Amino acid sequence: MLKYLSVFAFSTLLVFSCSDKYEQLDQDDKDKEPKEETVKPLPLHLIADTKKAGIYDMVVFTLKDSTYKGPNESMVVPLIYSNLDSLIWQVEGSSQKFNLLRQQAGGYSFTTEWGHHFYLPGTYKIFLSGYKDNNRLVRDSMNVNISASADFLNVSWDQVKNLGQNTGYTSNGTLGYEFYILTEKKDDVLFSGLRVSFDSTDYRKPNPDLADNERAALSAYITQLYGKAAFEDDEAILNQQFKQLFKSSIPKDKVLKIWKTKKSNIALLYQKREESDIFHYWVHAEPIG
């Protein structure tokens, strides 16, 4: 079983009633036209506790009805919007969607507040879409600006937080995987590690593709964040550079890549999996100097 501290917030309400939000036009007796439905947009909006954050900082999103001024809005929103067929939260560029309204036996679950972590810097456009009978009744969007200013991922070597805690950062299924960061200090050596787990993988069963997926995801991510590796391919040079650049003595079978930044040395490592191990590959980083 995975034992991680997952850092995320959400609020899900189970509701068992629904209401009709359509208004019908009066029938024109003279023209004898059939009844028509007027589809009105619903005043449901998306708000965030911040629109500027760093990578791995939690951004908390909340649903709000702009016309409701009373108390207990988190209870009222599901009651008002329960008859939608779907309510989708989506990050532009991701093919994955986070469904805030999910049908369940005897009712449904409705998420009104949730946390999300962004792994790369940039400006992200966020969409909220609600549908009923193929009509889009809820339409809202917002931009969130994400920066990357720490020394390695969200770790600043001179002010380390969550020391010794293996922390998972949820992506709400928007990527198909989630990252975990563990920063430790052993024998007076400070270091941090990054690992990845996949949403669709059952870690209790053998998965022959798991190692390849880990390697591909970690390598692509660190390259996106820090650029092309300084050393790769040549095993002898990689081993030599690892001994020169890193202070940690850690069990490893192979060094795959090494990146160098102004404040960190970073390596992609492989360890042959033992029975008690969860991961094959991980990223190891240490401060320079």
Side-chain angles (χ1 to χ4, degrees), residues 151-210:
D151 300 332
F152 170 69
L153 306 179
N154 63 342
V155 179
S156 295
W157 299 119
D158 60 347
Q159 46 183 346
V160 175
K161 300 177 181 179
N162 300 324
L163 191 65
Q165 296 180 1
N166 193 21
T167 305
Y169 296 88
T170 182
S171 65
N172 289 307
T174 58
L175 298 173
Y177 55 83
E178 294 182 357
F179 285 130
Y180 295 79
I181 299 174
L182 173 62
T183 303
E184 297 183 280
K185 191 172 186 178
K186 292 183 179 179
D187 299 325
D188 207 33
V189 177
L190 182 64
F191 60 92
S192 187
L194 175 73
R195 290 169 172 82
V196 60
S197 69
F198 298 92
D199 301 341
S200 59
T201 297
D202 185 348
Y203 283 83
R204 298 168 299 180
K205 300 178 181 179
N207 190 326
D209 298 323
L210 180 59

Side-chain angles (χ1 to χ4, degrees), residues 24-37:
Q24 293 185 334
L25 293 174
D26 293 334
Q27 182 177 348
D28 188 338
D29 293 332
K30 294 182 180 180
D31 295 335
K32 302 297 181 183
E33 292 180 351
K35 290 183 178 181
E36 296 180 357
E37 288 185 328

Side-chain angles (χ1 to χ4, degrees), residues 12-48:
T12 303
L13 301 176
L14 185 63
V15 186
F16 296 90
S17 64
C18 40
S19 60
D20 189 4
K21 296 185 180 64
Y22 287 99
E23 295 181 359
Q24 293 185 334
L25 293 174
D26 293 334
Q27 182 177 348
D28 188 338
D29 293 332
K30 294 182 180 180
D31 295 335
K32 302 297 181 183
E33 292 180 351
K35 290 183 178 181
E36 296 180 357
E37 288 185 328
T38 300
V39 180
K40 293 183 178 181
L42 301 176
L44 188 62
H45 298 286
L46 184 67
I47 62 174

Side-chain angles (χ1 to χ4, degrees), residues 46-114:
L46 184 67
I47 62 174
D49 66 334
T50 180
K51 293 186 178 181
K52 291 184 179 180
I55 56 174
Y56 295 95
D57 289 341
M58 180 187 288
V59 180
V60 179
F61 294 94
T62 308
L63 298 179
K64 181 177 179 61
D65 185 327
S66 60
T67 65
Y68 181 75
K69 306 301 181 184
N72 301 321
E73 184 172 358
S74 62
M75 294 292 293
V76 173
V77 166
L79 293 174
I80 297 175
Y81 299 99
S82 60
N83 70 339
L84 290 170
D85 293 332
S86 63
L87 185 62
I88 302 297
W89 178 85
Q90 188 173 18
V91 180
E92 185 178 44
S94 172
S95 60
Q96 305 296 322
K97 301 176 182 179
F98 182 37
N99 199 338
L100 305 174
L101 177 63
R102 295 172 297 279
Q103 299 296 325
Q104 294 182 346
Y108 59 88
S109 65
F110 199 110
T111 301
T112 58
E113 185 176 276
W114 63 100

Side-chain angles (χ1 to χ4, degrees), residues 205-219:
K205 300 178 181 179
N207 190 326
D209 298 323
L210 180 59
D212 290 341
N213 293 339
E214 288 176 355
R215 176 175 179 172
L218 291 170
S219 179

